[in-house]
Amino acid sequence: MTVKLTVLSAVGSLVWGTLLAAMRVSPVPLLRGAGAAYVNIVRNIPLTVIIVFSSLGLADIFGVTMGTDNFDIQGFRLAVLSLAAYHSAFVCEALRSGINTVPVGQAEAARAIGLSFSQTLRLIVLPQAFRSVITPLANVLIALTKNTTVAAAIGVAEAASLMKTMIENEAQTLLIGAVFAFGFVVLTLPTGLFLGWLGKRLAVKR
Amino acid sequence: MTEASVAKDAVAAAEELVVLKGVNKHFGALHVLQDIDLTIARGEVVVVIGPSGSGKSTLCRTINRLETIDSGDISIDGKPLPEEGKALARLRADVGMVFQSFNLFAHKTVLENVMLGQIKVRKADKKAAAEKARTLLDRVGVGTQADKYPAQLSGGQQQRVAIARALAMDPKVMLFDEPTSALDPEMINEVLEVMQQLARDGMTMIVVTHEMGFARSAANRVVFMADGRIVEEAVPDQFFSNPRSDRAKDFLSKILHH
Ligand SMILES: Nc1ncnc2c1ncn2[C@@H]1O[C@H](COP(=O)(O)OP(=O)(O)OP(=O)(O)O)[C@@H](O)[C@H]1O
Ligand SMILES: [Mg+2]
């Protein structure tokens, strides 16, 4: 469950975070403002509050059912939505710092051969920005993996809540805690190492 | 009016490729371009020189609207510069630009650099684009480097790739902003030779440079700028041997005797 939750939320936050970053560097003031507002608001709300809000607020009060009647599936989808919404703000900021490392001459040369704003961003600026922010992006993804535990607040059966049930049933607190901590390290460490390696391999030489 | 003279007028009008009329531009309080009037004919090679900060780069950049202007008109091939959007992108494709710092796309190979615009802007198919890119790279003498990344090339090679990248769009006019200023001395000539060949082939060129040799041998006209104004325009020989304005005399004495 943790893996599935992590992967789906990661994909969601990368896509939405990229769109947010595009908004924040766009020449349209309205988009820039909206992107900045989103990032600054979402970044400063604790994840727990977002998740509980999406569960209580969206599901119970506004009756958003996420296309299902099954309570567990609904909880899972809301957890993905919340995690993606939250971490996309960090993805956006990581990308934006990456965009700032791409020399302005790259975008100017792209515009000079007749590429549009969105082509310039998609073909020239973002591919270079992504490569320079693989390490900070890895940090966001690792944080996301660990933050899946917060989804427990709305009853999604991820690893930590599983652990809690087990500890309640058995007495081996320390051992079980260690096993699950190890489990998270197993999930996050290879991600970190892989992305670190990728970052070095793909680094753009200037 | 005879038919012949009508035809001649039409030709004369078509001959004016780049026209700037009363162009003004400010950077905050700084008046970088002041009432610039400049007309460049098709096939003409114009060298722009002047002291640092006189507005040469800015002038170049307004012609493909990398910089906007505050007042005045700029037209290219009879059409005023579009404000923005698709029309502006189309115009930029018709105006090649070569930068002092090359600005090759760092994450793409040399070949991809020259193919990109053809595919994404001109909608050429991949095979045709690759073929044309190789032809152009051969023409500027870097054909063997096609599969390398820009950072693996010398400055002179990078700048020649940048010229090929601009040529791939079949531009009507090429802008060069100090194309050899960032190069080691031994690489300057290989780039200038490519530019001279272009000039001989009839390309319309606006070149900001301090390379007097190039100006003398390739330019039809020298435009001297100081403090945001065009102070003097003349054919190269006359300008270098017999400048009229004091600013130009002063400037030439500084760059020729150092
Ligand atoms: N983006 C900008 N914002 C503010 N001022 C600028 C900007 N670009 C250029 N300037 C100023 O405008 C003036 C003209 O600059 P420009 O680059 O056109 O000069 P130049 O003739 O090309 O000089 P150089 O020979 O040093 O390249 C300079 O004083 C410069 O500091
Ligand atoms: Mg300059």
Side-chain angles (χ1 to χ4, degrees):
Chain A
M1 207 58 165
T2 300
V3 176
K4 199 172 158 201
L5 194 58
T6 305
V7 170
L8 288 178
S9 318
V11 171
S13 59
L14 285 176
V15 171
W16 181 218
T18 307
L19 283 175
L20 281 172
M23 280 166 71
R24 292 206 68 176
V25 299
S26 85
V28 186
L30 195 69
L31 287 178
R32 269 208 309 273
Y38 180 94
V39 168
N40 285 318
I41 292 170
V42 169
R43 202 162 52 153
N44 291 311
I45 304 177
L47 177 60
T48 327
V49 174
I50 293 182
I51 288 195
V52 169
F53 167 81
S54 74
S55 167
L56 297 181
L58 286 182
D60 298 350
I61 299 174
F62 297 111
V64 177
T65 58
M66 304 298 287
T68 175
D69 290 334
N70 182 321
F71 189 75
D72 283 346
I73 297 180
Q74 180 190 325
F76 178 79
R77 290 184 185 173
L78 282 172
V80 170
L81 185 73
S82 315
L83 285 167
Y86 179 73
H87 291 95
S88 63
F90 295 89
V91 169
C92 166
E93 288 307 279
L95 265 182
R96 211 161 58 96
S97 73
I99 288 174
N100 290 333
T101 68
V102 180
V104 281
Q106 295 284 308
E108 279 188 349
R111 284 154 70 208
I113 59 170
L115 296 178
S116 65
F117 171 79
S118 84
Q119 285 177 320
T120 301
L121 204 60
R122 271 189 295 117
L123 302 169
I124 307 300
V125 178
L126 280 178
Q128 294 186 50
F130 264 118
R131 287 163 208 226
S132 70
V133 295
I134 285 177
T135 312
L137 273 185
N139 292 338
V140 174
L141 293 184
I142 288 169
L144 188 151
T145 311
K146 296 190 289 177
N147 284 342
T148 54
T149 50
V150 181
I154 55 172
V156 175
E158 55 65 60
S161 57
L162 224 61
M163 176 176 89
K164 199 154 149 269
T165 338
M166 286 168 76
I167 292 177
E168 275 160 7
N169 297 339
E170 304 165 33
Q172 306 263 9
T173 318
L174 223 61
L175 181 65
I176 295 172
V179 166
F180 277 93
F182 181 72
F184 270 101
V185 172
V186 166
L187 279 178
T188 53
L189 205 60
T191 317
L193 288 177
F194 172 70
L195 289 172
W197 170 82
L198 202 65
K200 284 214 192 71
R201 248 203 67 139
L202 291 181
V204 182
K205 290 183 197 66
R206 300 197 189 283
Chain B
M1 202 185 279
T2 66
E3 251 174 68
S5 78
V6 171
K8 210 172 161 198
D9 280 355
V11 169
E15 289 297 301
E16 294 186 347
L17 190 57
V18 179
V19 181
L20 290 88
K21 278 206 190 99
V23 170
N24 281 282
K25 159 121 194 135
H26 296 79
F27 280 124
L30 186 70
H31 199 169
V32 267
L33 295 179
Q34 308 185 21
D35 299 316
I36 300 288
D37 291 308
L38 183 64
T39 302
I40 289 137
R42 198 181 301 276
E44 196 179 15
V45 177
V46 172
V47 160
V48 180
I49 68 172
S52 183
S54 56
K56 308 177 300 289
S57 297
T58 310
L59 176 72
C60 238
R61 293 161 57 85
T62 58
I63 294 175
N64 66 357
R65 216 178 155 85
L66 284 178
E67 299 284 357
T68 55
I69 56 175
D70 300 335
S71 65
D73 299 296
I74 301 179
S75 63
I76 290 178
D77 212 1
K79 292 187 210 77
L81 276 197
E83 291 276 307
E84 53 197 277
K86 281 229 168 71
L88 179 59
R90 214 172 304 130
L91 170 119
R92 285 196 179 125
D94 285 343
V95 179
M97 179 139 192
V98 175
F99 301 85
Q100 181 173 349
S101 48
F102 330 134
N103 296 348
L104 292 179
F105 305 133
H107 62 308
K108 298 206 173 283
T109 64
V110 163
L111 189 71
E112 288 166 345
N113 263 275
V114 185
M115 288 168 64
L116 187 75
Q118 300 183 61
I119 294 172
K120 299 293 176 184
V121 179
R122 297 290 192 218
K123 310 292 177 204
D125 71 53
K126 263 208 163 124
K127 209 166 142 247
E131 205 166 298
K132 182 168 180 182
R134 288 194 189 277
T135 311
L136 286 168
L137 288 172
D138 281 338
R139 189 165 141 199
V140 298
V142 288
T144 53
Q145 317 289 331
D147 297 318
K148 291 193 181 161
Y149 283 89
Q152 297 170 289
L153 270 55
S154 73
Q157 290 172 326
Q158 289 191 50
Q159 193 62 298
R160 286 183 283 153
V161 174
I163 293 173
R165 175 176 70 181
L167 288 175
M169 308 307 291
D170 296 319
K172 293 174 178 165
V173 50
M174 294 265 288
L175 310 171
F176 294 82
D177 187 6
E178 303 204 27
T180 57
S181 301
L183 297 177
D184 292 337
E186 72 268 24
M187 294 171 190
I188 291 178
N189 274 334
E190 63 191 47
V191 172
L192 290 180
E193 270 161 29
V194 168
M195 291 168 60
Q196 291 195 314
Q197 187 57 50
L198 264 182
R200 279 196 292 274
D201 292 346
M203 175 61 75
T204 310
M205 295 162 67
I206 301 172
V207 185
V208 177
T209 184
H210 291 151
E211 293 296 330
M212 298 307 142
F214 175 82
R216 277 180 185 277
S217 63
N220 301 106
R221 185 160 40 126
V222 173
V223 170
F224 176 72
M225 279 185 82
D227 300 329
R229 292 179 185 281
I230 293 181
V231 177
E232 191 165 341
E233 286 183 65
V235 295
D237 270 346
Q238 187 192 331
F239 179 78
F240 290 116
S241 52
N242 194 13
R244 276 167 285 144
S245 61
D246 291 340
R247 288 301 303 262
K249 280 179 197 155
D250 186 45
F251 176 75
L252 285 174
S253 73
K254 275 183 192 135
I255 62 163
L256 295 178
H257 312 133
H258 60 192

